Amino acid sequence: MNRLADRVALITGGSRGIGRATADCFAAEGAAVALVDLHEDTGQEAAQAIQAQGGQAVFIQADVTDPEAMQEAAATTHDALGGLDILVNNAGITRDATVRKMTEDAFDQVIDVNLKGVYNATKAVIPYLVDQQYGRILNAASVVALYGNFGQTNYVASKAAVIGMTKTWARELGRKGITVNAVAPGFISTDMIGSVPDKVLDTFRDKTPLQRLGVPVDIANAYLFLASEEASFITGTVLSVDGGLVL
């Protein structure tokens, strides 16, 4: 359908999981994509796979916790792909522990990547979006930000704050032709939950009305909709993609 024809998207954490599924999805719909990630091997492979399918893609190695690196990534995206229209703030990590056992380092790492990283990437792309009076900023939240989760003080705090920033930026940037939305995934089959015991995963499935875990393309399709012109009058919203988990 080419719903993103002539658009350029920067996707953080774009080499694996939801990020890669989003890059593949966007490229299939006509977008040129920049995959920004720390992992060069998987990042280069993902970009080359898109190119092999006739798409336009580049890999940029950068750390979202480094403001200067993200400014360079935005500039490289703009110069290499001829523009910058869409940002998907997908990069994220977990360092789970109960609050009694959580270390300061574990707390800080998650906040730095999941929250400060979103801030850094958004600050880096805003000048390009404001200059053209058009843009889409899409942030990865989580259903746990809406109801909490055992052992995830740091992760829940970061994702709840992302929701707050999403709503604030929607107010600030709407007059500049920029929409800002968040997607709140439920439990998705990615490397992030690879260490979760099967018994716990079975519990997740049992609690989900659709009786399955999500897959990365479920989230990629939500990002695609919010990035498209079909969502041009949607901003400041949090779209839960969770199989009905929070009902």
Side-chain angles (χ1 to χ4, degrees), residues 3-234:
R3 294 156 77 185
L4 300 182
D6 301 321
R7 298 299 184 193
V8 176
L10 188 162
I11 303 168
T12 68
S15 74
R16 298 182 294 181
I18 292 170
R20 177 161 183 177
T22 301
D24 290 342
C25 184
F26 280 21
E29 290 288 345
V33 295
L35 288 70
V36 176
D37 207 300
L38 282 175
H39 303 284
E40 183 173 9
D41 52 349
T42 54
Q44 292 285 9
E45 189 277 329
Q48 290 168 7
I50 290 172
Q51 294 165 4
Q53 294 294 321
Q56 191 174 3
V58 296
F59 168 71
I60 302 170
Q61 188 173 34
D63 184 346
V64 295
T65 69
D66 183 340
E68 291 185 1
M70 292 314 299
Q71 291 171 10
E72 292 177 5
T76 299
T77 299
H78 185 272
D79 294 345
L81 298 178
L84 182 49
D85 306 292
I86 303 161
L87 169 65
V88 182
N89 278 309
N90 168 76
I93 62 171
T94 57
R95 298 289 186 270
D96 295 350
T98 62
V99 67
R100 291 188 300 166
K101 296 181 179 180
M102 184 170 290
T103 65
E104 184 175 354
D105 185 55
F107 186 88
D108 289 346
Q109 285 182 38
V110 170
I111 295 299
D112 284 347
V113 174
N114 296 5
L115 180 58
K116 188 67 178 295
V118 171
Y119 173 81
N120 289 339
T122 302
K123 285 276 286 187
V125 306
I126 281 177
Y128 302 97
L129 307 187
V130 169
D131 184 63
Q132 64 195 13
Q133 295 287 291
Y134 175 89
R136 300 280 190 266
I137 298 173
L138 305 173
N139 298 326
S142 172
V143 293
V144 301
L146 305 175
Y147 66 89
N149 199 36
F150 188 93
Q152 289 196 312
T153 294
N154 47 8
Y155 187 78
V156 171
S158 69
K159 296 302 185 178
V162 164
I163 289 174
M165 290 199 305
T166 297
K167 294 179 180 295
T168 298
W169 295 341
R171 290 181 181 273
E172 292 180 355
L173 299 173
R175 66 191 66 188
K176 303 298 184 180
I178 301 166
T179 65
V180 189
N181 293 290
V183 172
F187 295 105
I188 310 299
S189 295
T190 66
D191 292 342
M192 187 174 285
I193 66 169
S195 61
V196 177
D198 289 341
K199 184 177 180 180
V200 176
L201 293 178
D202 288 340
T203 300
F204 293 163
R205 293 186 187 93
D206 290 341
K207 290 182 177 180
T208 302
L210 292 183
Q211 294 288 288
R212 69 171 177 89
L213 300 180
V215 293
V217 72
D218 291 324
I219 310 305
N221 285 331
Y223 284 138
L224 172 62
F225 167 66
L226 291 171
S228 74
E229 290 308 302
E230 296 162 18
S232 63
F233 200 56
I234 299 174

